[in-house]
Amino acid sequence: MEILTNIVSNIEARLTELIEIAERRFPSWRGTDNAGILKAATERAYLTARAFPPQTAKQLLKWTLVTRVLFEELRDSYRRGEFTGACLLGDGQEAVGAGVALAMRKGDYLAPEHRSFSAMLAHGTPLDHYWRNFFMRATGPTGGHDPNIHFSDLAHRNFGFMVSDMAVSAGVINGAVFAKNQRLTHENGSELLPEDHAAGVAIFGDGAASNGLAHEGMNLARALRLPVLFAILNNQIALRTNPTEEHGGIDLANRALPAGEEQP
């Protein structure tokens, strides 16, 4: 854990330097050759990040890098046999969870799926929660009873990934947001202004989006007018099922249409 902490501290110290390097390199990364395709895609990602305020862009970079370092350290430890059980990581999806979490307020609720380490980290969960839980430490969030990712962090309103019914987050998030806003309304003595409502985010993959739990969750959120965002990760495969066989290859943004939500 000390090694991991030192690496993360180094990332934080070098954020400005990394951004300056990107400033110098990315504008020249253009081309139509094979290498240029990757460079062009990277440049688009960088230019997208430039649309954020500088501090937000730095935070996005920070949590993306921190999560990737955590993945690499956990993977290496797992291969060395230092802990057992499953080692389910989310390589390539670090920026998604970080971006979602950075758009949230501290008082909002998060119900992620099993790869969204970055979302919980960016929303306040301590880094060592993951490390201690994988190594089954008594000081970890589950007291050493789970060598995996099945833990919550209620102090930061993060429900974590607690069961393997992949779309259960779509239902859990509704209960949390509904109960919190009911309590806030009672304490306020009158209806809340829109900006005073607690909001929530549920994250699940394309396979889970075909699950009845996901549709029930989206429908309930619509029926109760809950301020909940459902973020679907397009993994392009659900276990061994490709998108065509899974859902006919539809635009996943339209998953909310049966719940009455309009999509662009």
Side-chain angles (χ1 to χ4, degrees), residues 22-34:
E23 289 276 5
R24 294 194 298 270
R25 292 185 61 186
F26 282 113
S28 62
W29 280 22
R30 293 186 174 87
T32 55
D33 55 84
N34 290 336

Side-chain angles (χ1 to χ4, degrees), residues 61-248:
L61 177 60
K62 170 188 172 180
W63 291 116
T64 298
L65 293 175
V66 166
T67 306
R68 174 56 65 90
V69 169
L70 175 61
F71 286 164
E72 295 296 335
E73 291 295 313
L74 286 173
R75 182 182 292 105
D76 288 346
S77 296
Y78 183 71
R79 288 172 175 169
R80 290 193 296 266
E82 294 176 0
F83 64 86
T84 59
C87 186
L88 306 173
L89 308 176
D91 297 74
Q93 296 181 335
E94 298 91 344
V96 177
V100 168
L102 290 175
M104 300 171 65
R105 301 165 300 179
K106 287 185 177 180
D108 293 336
Y109 291 86
L110 174 68
E113 45 75 74
H114 62 295
R115 295 187 182 93
S116 298
F117 291 40
S118 59
M120 287 187 63
L121 292 172
H123 197 49
T125 294
L127 180 65
D128 63 357
H129 271 32
Y130 279 103
W131 194 255
R132 291 175 179 173
N133 210 64
F134 271 100
F135 281 84
M136 298 183 71
R137 297 291 188 261
T139 54
T142 62
H145 293 287
D146 178 72
N148 207 291
I149 48 179
H150 305 108
F151 68 86
S152 61
D153 175 23
L154 298 184
H156 296 95
R157 295 178 171 81
N158 292 334
F159 286 101
F161 179 75
M162 291 180 279
V163 296
S164 292
D165 291 323
M166 296 296 183
V168 72
S169 58
V172 169
I173 199 67
N174 288 332
V177 171
F178 178 78
K180 179 63 174 180
N181 287 325
Q182 287 286 93
R183 185 163 68 250
L184 289 174
T185 299
H186 177 74
E187 293 171 353
N188 190 53
S190 61
E191 287 297 320
L192 300 172
L193 296 173
E195 60 270 22
D196 293 331
H197 283 82
V201 175
I203 306 175
F204 45 85
D206 50 348
S210 298
N211 191 308
L213 290 171
H215 293 274
E216 292 171 13
M218 290 189 285
N219 184 73
L220 183 61
R222 177 66 176 180
L224 298 179
R225 303 287 179 177
L226 299 176
V228 174
L229 170 69
F230 297 95
I232 301 176
L233 300 175
N234 188 6
N235 298 310
Q236 310 217 11
I237 192 165
L239 293 180
R240 297 176 181 84
T241 308
N242 64 50
T244 301
E245 295 174 337
E246 180 192 340
H247 51 62

